[in-house]
Amino acid sequence: MRRLNPKPVRTTVMATNVAVNPALWLLISPALPVGGYSYSQGLEFAVEAGWLTSTTDVDDWLFGVAGATLVHQDLACLARLHDAVANGDADATLRWNRALSASRETAELLDEDRQMGLALARLLRDVMPEATELLPAAPTFATAFAAACVANSIDMDAALAAYAWVWHENQVAAAIKLVPLGQTDGQRLMLAAGERLAHLVECARAVDDDDIGLTLPAVAIASAQHERQHTRLFRS
């Protein structure tokens, strides 16, 4: 199985689209009421276990997760979901929605995806009803995200970069509280994430159907352990 690792590159992937499309601003806003900041995706246990103790550790963790599971699960499926919704293909939308759900290795990760997907779907029904026509009954967050992007003429590359940015922002916010990191270190991590967006998009676009679902055992173990962690800040 081929693994594509992101390398830092300067990018303007979202610049033009964000400037003219307020819907994309809404989707990447930390004020989007979907509950993303309630979860740490195993990061809380990784800190508790002493795996991550510094800004460098966190950057290495995020770099590894982004290059593997984010690219080969969320972003690869998001690309296909964007195409399916854009083509009005309800069967393909449902198929890739199910594929993404099936790739979640722990109850915690599956519940997070379902809860965020349902929260975004409820919001879309109120503010962008045209985006909900093809949504399945239990959409993943990526499925609802793709539907919102297509309904607002946000192209695939911008959608992938925006989704990756949201994931990074949630993880960095968790790291600031857990490690803990200072706000300045958090901003450095977000700048580093932004520099990798173009390559993450390139990697996700290159993933074959048979390669979707690549995971990292340490992340799955951390998530499973977090479900039983005695004291925690983040939701399980």
Side-chain angles (χ1 to χ4, degrees):
M1 180 181 294
R2 180 178 55 176
R3 176 177 172 181
L4 299 171
N5 287 320
K7 299 177 182 177
V9 291
R10 294 287 177 182
T11 177
T12 56
V13 169
M14 291 190 292
T16 302
N17 214 326
V18 169
V20 299
N21 200 325
L24 188 52
W25 282 108
L26 183 151
L27 289 170
I28 65 175
S29 170
L32 187 71
V34 296
Y37 283 96
S38 301
Y39 300 94
S40 74
Q41 295 195 359
L43 189 68
E44 184 163 17
F45 177 80
V47 173
E48 176 75 14
W51 299 352
L52 310 177
T53 61
S54 67
T55 304
T56 300
D57 291 342
V58 174
D59 189 50
D60 289 344
W61 176 275
L62 297 182
F63 186 91
V65 176
T69 60
L70 185 67
V71 164
H72 286 81
Q73 290 182 6
D74 295 67
L75 296 184
C77 285
L78 177 59
R80 288 154 175 81
L81 286 161
H82 191 285
D83 268 346
V85 175
N87 293 324
D89 191 337
D91 290 339
T93 301
L94 181 60
R95 181 170 69 254
W96 289 113
N97 183 78
R98 287 174 171 170
L100 185 53
S101 288
S103 72
R104 303 308 184 194
E105 292 186 297
T106 67
E108 177 180 81
L109 294 173
L110 180 59
D111 286 346
E112 174 188 355
D113 203 9
R114 286 176 173 171
Q115 288 162 9
M116 289 180 62
L118 287 170
L120 183 54
R122 286 193 296 268
L123 177 65
L124 293 178
R125 289 188 183 100
D126 290 334
V127 301
M128 301 178 191
E130 68 280 7
T132 64
E133 294 179 3
L134 293 181
L135 286 185
T140 66
F141 181 60
T143 305
F145 197 93
C149 288
V150 171
N152 289 278
S153 301
I154 298 167
D155 64 55
M156 185 185 294
D157 284 351
L160 294 173
Y163 189 102
W165 177 265
V166 170
W167 179 85
H168 274 97
E169 190 170 39
N170 288 342
Q171 290 286 283
V172 170
I176 288 172
K177 297 175 184 176
L178 293 168
V179 174
L181 303 178
Q183 292 292 335
T184 300
D185 285 335
Q187 292 304 304
R188 290 193 181 102
L189 289 172
M190 288 309 302
L191 286 170
E195 291 173 351
R196 296 168 185 155
L197 288 180
H199 199 70
L200 289 175
V201 171
E202 180 184 353
C203 290
R205 292 275 234 156
V207 173
D208 295 329
D209 287 359
D210 290 343
D211 289 337
I212 290 177
L214 176 66
T215 61
L216 295 175
V219 175
I221 291 169
S223 175
Q225 292 289 343
H226 184 254
E227 294 173 5
R228 298 167 178 81
Q229 192 170 325
H230 180 66
T231 302
R232 57 182 182 239
L233 294 176
F234 290 87
R235 206 169 161 183
S236 181

